[in-house]
Structures are given as structure tokens and as C-alpha cells.
Amino acid sequence: MSTVLQALRIMAAYFISVTIWSLFNIHGFALNLRQAGGQTAAQWRGLRRGVAYDESFAVQLPFHGRWKVVNGGVDQQTSHSWGLISQRYAYDFVIVDEATPV
């Protein structure tokens, strides 16, 4: 599948899901509009550059100690927000201490 078709398919699926969800959650409607704007901007940049998204990145976590990832991943099967480009590689962390099982 070409990069342009892949990007358009992702955009269409996103906008359909956001529209359906917004019908049942009026309080999230404004948030969805802002996210849709960011999603569109991210997809447009990808189309202009010829890629749907760039998987390379460097990260430094803003905390120290022992933490556990409870949600998140680098592929569609492990990510809980794969349909949102801006949250595609999001991770949810929980601190791990002596009282928390790993």
C-alpha cells in the first residue's frame, strides 16, 4: 500500500471513530476537535515528507527509580492509542517500590 493511501486510510478511520465517540460524549467534543486538528497537521506533514510517520526518536524520562509500563507499545497490538498519531507510542508508567509487585 502506498504511503499516501496508508495515511488517508488512517485519517479516515480516525475521523470516523472520533465522530462516533463524540456523539455519545458531549464533554469530549472540544477535546476531539483539538486532537483532530493535531492529527490532521501530523498527517499533512507526513504526506509532504513522503512518510506516514517516523518511528525513530530519542527519549529521556523525567523521573528516576523503578517504574513499570502498564500500557503502551511500539506496535498496534501493544499500543492502547494506535489510531491517534500524536499518542501512538504513548506509555503509561506506574512507580514500583518495595510494596508494589513487579
Side-chain angles (χ1 to χ4, degrees), residues 1-50:
M1 178 182 296
S2 76
T3 302
V4 172
L5 286 177
Q6 180 183 7
L8 291 175
R9 184 183 58 77
I10 291 169
M11 284 174 50
Y14 171 77
F15 285 118
I16 290 168
S17 67
V18 164
T19 301
I20 292 170
W21 186 78
S22 295
L23 293 173
F24 297 104
N25 185 349
I26 192 69
H27 300 289
F29 186 72
L31 173 64
N32 285 334
L33 288 177
R34 289 194 309 265
Q35 284 187 335
Q39 181 82 3
T40 302
Q43 289 291 343
W44 180 249
R45 282 192 306 270
L47 287 172
R48 283 195 344 238
R49 294 177 185 157

Side-chain angles (χ1 to χ4, degrees), residues 66-71 92-96 100-102:
R66 293 186 59 204
W67 291 73
K68 181 177 180 178
V69 175
V70 293
N71 276 321
D92 295 339
F93 293 93
V94 173
I95 191 166
V96 176
T100 307
V102 177

Side-chain angles (χ1 to χ4, degrees), residues 42-64:
Q43 289 291 343
W44 180 249
R45 282 192 306 270
L47 287 172
R48 283 195 344 238
R49 294 177 185 157
V51 296
Y53 57 91
D54 182 7
E55 293 183 9
S56 63
F57 65 93
V59 64
Q60 182 176 348
L61 300 176
F63 48 79
H64 300 284

